[in-house]
Amino acid sequence: MAIYESEHTKFMREWMEKHPQEIQEQKKGRALWWDKPQEVRTQASYDASSVPVKAYYYDTNH
């Protein structure tokens, strides 16, 4: 059974094979936007200070 692969995926796979230097650029971009160091204390503080949400947000009687 053949696995479907879109034209875009095929293009990107071939393009990355022809331009291996772009892997480093891709990693730098990911580090810029996504791979951030996490602080356990800060996250615990955020979790502790969160306010529970009402079951029905627009109910003004409760």
Side-chain angles (χ1 to χ4, degrees), residues 54-62:
K54 296 178 186 177
Y56 183 65
Y57 187 79
Y58 296 104
D59 186 7
T60 58
N61 296 324
H62 295 280

Side-chain angles (χ1 to χ4, degrees), residues 6-48:
S6 71
E7 290 182 20
H8 178 74
T9 302
K10 289 177 187 176
F11 168 77
M12 289 304 297
R13 189 179 317 280
E14 291 171 6
W15 193 82
M16 291 299 272
E17 287 174 1
K18 293 177 184 174
H19 301 91
Q21 70 278 9
E22 291 300 319
I23 293 172
Q24 291 301 325
E25 288 295 316
Q26 185 181 36
K27 288 180 181 179
K28 285 183 358 188
R30 178 182 169 98
L32 177 67
W33 291 104
W34 298 105
D35 296 337
K36 302 290 183 187
Q38 301 296 313
E39 300 246 354
V40 176
R41 289 183 187 167
T42 305
Q43 188 61 43
S45 173
Y46 291 158
D47 292 342

